[in-house]
Amino acid sequence: MKKMTPRLTQKKKRKKLNNGGTMQGQIVKISSNIHYVEQNNQLYPCVPRGKFRKQHILPRVGDYVVFLPEEKVIEQILPRKNEFMRPLVSNIDQAFIVVSLKEPDFSLSLLDRFLALMELHHVKSIICLTKKDLLEEKEKKEYQKYIHYYQEIGYPIVYNDELDKIKKLISNKTSVFTGQTGVGKSTLLNRLNPEWHLKTDQISYSLGRGKHTTRTVELYHFLDGKLLDTPGFSALSFAEYSKEEIRSAFIEFALYPCVFKDCTHTNEKECQVKQAVLENKILRSRYESYLKIVKEDKVC
């Protein structure tokens, strides 16, 4: 008697199909609930499985995923290097923090907040200075001590006219440009790629598509690397982080270990960090930025 082959149920059929038809790619744009996954320079409009919503998982631009090209469904989000909520992005290698030396004035406090945010997300920071041509000689000498300090503690610094240097840094990395309004992000990007024709009088910048009217974020191939086009990092709050995490985000503090390991460098006696500030080994403005974050952001 011929042995009957058991019929596959619909669930087993789909499982069998899924095992043989999955691909890996990267989300490069999210519009409404359509997640555009790139694989070998081809875009696949997909939707995520409902399980992600139940698990309170939000797919992000930059996520590496496993998806079904035929069914246009995202099955799995692969482990992330880092992730942000505003904007909703992940897997960033480095951030160019664009800072104006004048008009608007050089803001050490804002620079330190951006640097701390990137440290907490394990993103390499590169400080990009603009508008140095507006400085008088006296101002150049004054700012040089700050520039030297940030270089000494480990942050690379470039000027916006060092285009070859910036292009080299972008190569083989996923980068984002961020900074205060009016510091010259659009001008810099125009110089890197004149074909974008960005308007320099806008609050937001967008790669060749006019002013941002939504919170859409996209990831592009650029100069042998990838560039995130984003309205900017609107969340510079540190309320969700502990004092210990904020302390570690100011990287030079680790060079001055205190007697007590749980020292918060605020009101404690025999604090080596406070002593280093008094001895001008730590920039006073850096320490004041730290105190402001810890106190004003009500860090836990």
Side-chain angles (χ1 to χ4, degrees):
M1 183 176 179
K2 187 177 180 181
K3 190 175 180 179
M4 297 291 293
T5 303
R7 292 171 58 187
L8 289 173
T9 63
Q10 192 65 30
K11 187 175 181 180
K12 288 181 178 179
K13 280 183 180 179
R14 191 176 72 180
K15 187 175 181 181
K16 185 176 180 181
L17 175 64
N18 290 357
N19 288 340
T22 59
M23 297 172 67
Q24 287 191 16
Q26 186 178 29
I27 298 175
V28 296
K29 179 182 176 181
I30 299 175
S31 182
S32 297
N33 194 42
I34 305 300
H35 297 60
Y36 294 89
V37 180
E38 183 186 56
Q39 207 276 341
N40 283 340
N41 296 318
Q42 185 173 346
L43 286 182
Y44 298 85
C46 297
V47 294
R49 289 281 185 206
K51 64 181 180 181
F52 297 122
R53 191 181 300 109
K54 294 177 182 178
Q55 296 169 355
H56 304 289
I57 296 174
L58 283 172
R60 291 160 163 77
V61 171
D63 277 345
Y64 290 98
V65 299
V66 176
F67 70 104
L68 289 163
E70 295 296 327
E71 295 186 22
K72 299 180 180 179
V73 170
I74 295 173
E75 287 282 349
Q76 180 185 356
I77 297 173
L78 299 177
R80 295 163 174 156
K81 178 179 180 179
N82 48 54
E83 58 185 63
F84 292 82
M85 278 300 294
R86 288 183 290 172
L88 204 61
V89 296
S90 67
N91 296 318
I92 297 174
D93 294 319
Q94 59 187 18
F96 285 83
I97 301 174
V98 186
V99 183
S100 172
L101 292 169
K102 202 167 186 177
E103 296 181 13
D105 290 337
F106 190 25
S107 174
L108 291 168
S109 176
L110 189 57
L111 172 59
D112 290 334
R113 293 183 81 87
F114 274 114
L115 291 173
L117 180 71
M118 296 305 163
E119 289 292 339
L120 290 165
H121 287 83
H122 309 290
V123 175
K124 177 183 178 181
S125 291
I126 299 166
I127 301 171
C128 182
L129 300 174
T130 67
K131 305 185 183 181
K132 69 176 180 179
D133 56 307
L134 300 181
L135 295 179
E136 297 177 1
E137 285 303 317
K138 184 180 178 180
E139 291 174 313
K140 288 180 181 178
K141 291 180 180 179
E142 180 184 343
Y143 285 131
Q144 197 57 46
K145 68 175 183 179
Y146 298 117
I147 293 168
H148 178 71
Y149 181 83
Y150 284 100
Q151 286 177 319
E152 284 291 302
I153 64 174
Y155 291 113
I157 291 181
V158 296
Y159 289 91
N160 63 326
D161 58 356
E162 297 178 304
L163 298 184
D164 289 340
K165 195 172 181 179
I166 294 172
K167 288 177 180 179
K168 188 174 181 180
L169 289 167
I170 288 174
S171 182
N172 298 315
K173 296 286 192 300
T174 297
S175 307
V176 66
F177 285 74
T178 189
Q180 184 183 5
T181 297
V183 295
K185 294 186 298 290
S186 297
T187 300
L188 173 57
L189 288 166
N190 275 334
R191 289 175 179 172
L192 289 170
N193 188 350
E195 294 180 3
W196 281 335
H197 302 296
L198 307 185
K199 293 182 180 179
T200 57
D201 59 348
Q202 296 178 163
I203 292 176
S204 297
Y205 70 92
S206 181
L207 304 185
R209 296 181 308 284
K211 190 173 181 180
H212 272 292
T213 55
T214 67
R215 303 300 294 176
T216 300
V217 180
E218 294 186 47
L219 183 64
Y220 293 88
H221 290 281
F222 181 61
L223 297 175
D224 297 322
K226 296 175 183 177
L227 182 64
L228 269 166
D229 176 26
T230 163
F233 290 84
S234 57
L236 286 175
S237 170
F238 296 85
E240 64 182 285
Y241 298 101
S242 67
K243 290 180 181 179
E244 290 76 19
E245 288 173 315
I246 302 301
R247 182 180 62 192
S248 67
F250 285 76
I251 56 177
E252 69 269 43
F253 289 5
L255 299 174
Y256 307 95
C258 295
V259 176
F260 303 103
K261 291 183 178 180
D262 60 349
C263 183
T264 62
H265 314 317
T266 51
N267 302 315
E268 298 91 341
K269 295 180 179 180
E270 299 182 40
C271 174
Q272 295 304 304
V273 167
K274 290 196 293 182
Q275 185 62 33
V277 175
L278 291 174
E279 295 174 3
N280 295 319
K281 294 177 180 176
I282 291 177
L283 203 61
R284 179 168 292 278
S285 59
R286 283 280 285 174
Y287 181 63
E288 289 173 352
S289 293
Y290 166 75
L291 291 180
K292 190 173 182 180
I293 290 173
V294 169
K295 293 177 180 180
E296 294 187 11
D297 285 70
K298 298 180 181 179
V299 173
C300 56

